[in-house]
Amino acid sequence: MGSEVQQINGTKTKTLVVAPPPSPQVAVAICLLRDKSVLMGRRLVSIGNSKYSLPSGHLEFGENFEECAAREMKEETGLDIEKVEFLKVTNNLFVDQPTPAHYVVVFVRAVLADPMQTPLNLEPDKCGGWDWYEWDSLPQPLFGPIKAMVMEGFNPFT
């Protein structure tokens, strides 16, 4: 925030200049299922740093959710996915961050196109690595939006 001094009719006035709030962003998060496990990695980015999350990323202009899920999965892990299905949408405010953010997250589920593929960490500056975790024993600490869904009883396998 800053201030701006104006002179109106010979009188100095101070106007507070307030930055507009950030616009909401849309992200797609992928519950990649294998047997009774889901793929997760430890975040190394400002929002949710050091917390476990699903592969995810921003929806790009003109993409549908399935295209975004396939692109993000390939960019982050090298994996090819199929049978992408919509699960849930969440509205997430991150006001306690150095830069507040508002994300609408579309959760989908998918399976590997080739069950023999192994995830690679293609963005080591953003993720500490990928591994498979059974839904009933997820790693801790969980990223806020996922933690909230788990506490509400959400299960991508049902």
Side-chain angles (χ1 to χ4, degrees), residues 51-119:
K51 299 201 173 149
Y52 284 90
S53 188
L54 303 165
S56 60
H58 293 99
L59 182 69
E60 292 184 357
F61 182 82
E63 278 185 320
N64 64 38
F65 303 144
E66 295 82 4
E67 292 166 339
C68 180
R71 178 184 53 76
E72 286 292 344
M73 185 65 69
K74 189 72 169 177
E75 288 176 3
E76 294 180 12
T77 69
L79 299 174
D80 297 308
I81 59 173
E82 64 183 11
K83 299 180 183 173
V84 180
E85 299 176 287
F86 170 83
L87 291 174
K88 179 180 179 106
V89 173
T90 62
N91 189 38
N92 307 279
L93 293 174
F94 300 97
V95 294
D96 59 344
Q97 301 296 311
T99 303
H102 179 180
Y103 276 89
V104 174
V105 181
V106 177
F107 286 86
V108 299
R109 72 174 155 215
V111 296
L112 288 168
D114 175 0
M116 300 307 294
Q117 280 187 296
T118 303

Side-chain angles (χ1 to χ4, degrees), residues 10-32:
T11 306
K12 287 185 179 179
T13 62
K14 199 172 192 179
T15 305
L16 185 62
V17 178
V18 179
S23 296
Q25 302 282 319
V26 178
V28 175
I30 307 102
C31 295
L32 183 60

Side-chain angles (χ1 to χ4, degrees), residues 2-16:
S3 62
E4 193 174 279
V5 177
Q6 297 178 348
Q7 193 161 357
I8 301 172
N9 296 331
T11 306
K12 287 185 179 179
T13 62
K14 199 172 192 179
T15 305
L16 185 62

